[in-house]
Amino acid sequence: MATPTRTTESGPALRRSAFRRSRGDGPFRFASTGAGVVLLAIMAAIGLFLVVKAVPALQANTSHFLTELTWQPNATKPVFGIGALAFGTVLSSLLALLIATPVAVGVALFISHYAPRRLASALGYVVDLLAAVPSVVYGLWGVTFLVPFMLGPSTFLNDYFGWIPLFSGESIVGKSMLTASLVLAIMILPIIAAISREVFLQAPKMQEEAALALGATRWEMIRTAVLPFGRPGVISAAMLGLGRAMGETIAVALIFPATFKISFQILGPYGNSIAANIANGFGEATEVGRGALIASGLVLFLITLLVNMAARFIIARRKEYARAAA
């Protein structure tokens, strides 16, 4: 007889609980939706601002903005284009990504699956601390130490691997595309390592233990159970690092030779980026010059937006990773 009594008394309690949940879900849904709308509105406002400020300069330009290599927006007849700047931005960022990603994945695997617990905790704090170092510190370190140091390795690469187009050329300098890419790689390495470490720590323990129980070595377990699970997370971390490298300003402005030429010779005095050009030229720019710099910033804004959209697309294709992350 006790069971019907509990069932009868549970009806009002359940209704009150459902009412409280529904009363709390409404404000939360409204707040979360509003936050998403506000974020989209901010991005749209930024894009609209860039377009409005860039249109007068683009109308005054006497050449094609997307293909022109010359950058003279302050001249009597403005001539400027984004071709060389976009090329240098993409090339330096891709080189930095190729250098940083393997090292970052190795660091993340060591912290998550090889290092003792105390050492792993200390290394994790160090990686997080490196991710918080201001970019100007990396830039000053690159100018004072890395630029003179890279003359020797650059000469070696040119002497023995000059048959590769990237390492060819007659003029070898310290302020080169390779040096700037190394600084960018050091900057984005902690970001990729920190995200990859957290992803690797979320790998299913049962699968790892099952692989070890079947006689797999530590590396075989990582290769079969950890890396397949963490691959989308590593890709998204790399995309995040790529976006950071593309938007970096001060560090590369101190190192790039600030030339406007498309060249794959990463050891020579060639290279520039959109962000570095904005930092170097905004103070002395005329009204048309500022509009030209804002137009280049609009291109950079679109490039980074496409990079982040690509990262989200890659993650969305792996439904099991999205469910595990949730």
Side-chain angles (χ1 to χ4, degrees):
M1 296 299 296
T3 302
T5 303
R6 286 196 300 269
T7 303
T8 302
E9 294 177 354
S10 63
L14 288 176
R15 286 194 295 270
R16 287 193 300 270
S17 177
F19 175 75
R20 286 194 297 268
R21 286 198 301 269
S22 62
R23 187 174 58 182
D25 287 345
F28 176 76
R29 187 183 301 111
F30 176 80
S32 59
T33 305
V37 172
V38 169
L39 179 61
L40 293 177
I42 292 174
M43 293 183 62
I46 293 174
L48 180 62
F49 168 81
L50 294 175
V51 170
V52 170
K53 293 295 184 179
V55 167
L58 293 176
Q59 291 176 344
N61 188 15
T62 58
S63 63
H64 197 284
F65 176 68
L66 297 179
T67 57
E68 177 63 42
L69 302 182
T70 306
W71 187 268
Q72 295 179 354
N74 301 322
T76 305
K77 293 184 177 180
V79 179
F80 58 90
I82 202 67
L85 296 175
F87 175 82
T89 300
V90 174
L91 180 60
S92 61
S93 301
L94 290 178
L95 288 175
L97 190 66
L98 290 175
I99 297 171
T101 301
V103 179
V105 172
V107 171
L109 287 175
F110 177 77
I111 294 175
S112 61
H113 287 82
Y114 282 98
R117 180 170 299 180
R118 291 185 178 180
L119 179 59
S121 178
L123 289 177
Y125 285 124
V126 171
V127 170
D128 295 337
L129 179 63
L130 289 176
V133 174
S135 59
V136 65
V137 176
Y138 288 107
L140 292 174
W141 171 80
V143 169
T144 58
F145 172 76
L146 196 60
V147 168
F149 174 79
M150 285 302 296
L151 283 175
S154 298
T155 304
F156 174 83
L157 291 174
N158 180 258
D159 291 340
Y160 294 96
F161 299 96
W163 49 272
I164 301 176
L166 289 176
F167 304 138
S168 61
E170 298 180 357
S171 178
I172 307 301
V173 297
K175 285 190 172 184
S176 62
M177 178 71 70
L178 178 60
T179 306
S181 299
L182 285 175
V183 173
L184 290 176
I186 296 172
M187 289 183 58
I188 67 176
L189 191 150
I191 300 174
I192 302 176
I195 298 176
S196 300
R197 177 195 66 203
E198 297 301 323
V199 173
F200 293 151
L201 289 174
Q202 299 301 320
K205 299 300 180 183
M206 294 183 63
Q207 295 185 14
E208 296 181 6
E209 294 173 358
L212 294 174
L214 291 174
T217 62
R218 182 70 63 87
W219 165 241
E220 291 173 340
M221 179 271 293
I222 291 175
R223 184 168 54 86
T224 57
V226 178
L227 291 180
F229 175 84
R231 186 179 296 115
V234 173
I235 294 174
S236 64
M239 290 295 181
L240 182 63
L242 180 62
R244 167 71 187 278
M246 286 183 172
E248 179 50 43
T249 304
I250 299 300
V252 292
L254 294 173
I255 297 175
F256 267 137
T259 58
F260 299 92
K261 180 181 179 181
I262 293 180
S263 176
F264 285 96
Q265 299 176 0
I266 62 175
L267 304 180
Y270 313 110
N272 207 345
S273 70
I274 297 176
N277 185 60
I278 293 174
N280 291 328
F282 200 88
E284 301 177 355
T286 61
E287 184 176 356
V288 176
R290 287 192 295 270
L293 294 174
I294 292 175
S296 65
L298 176 62
V299 174
L300 181 61
F301 177 78
L302 295 176
I303 293 175
T304 53
L305 184 63
L306 291 175
V307 168
N308 285 279
M309 290 175 61
R312 297 305 304 170
F313 175 76
I314 293 172
I315 294 300
R317 293 187 61 182
R318 294 295 296 267
K319 298 297 184 181
E320 66 275 12
Y321 174 78
R323 289 194 296 266

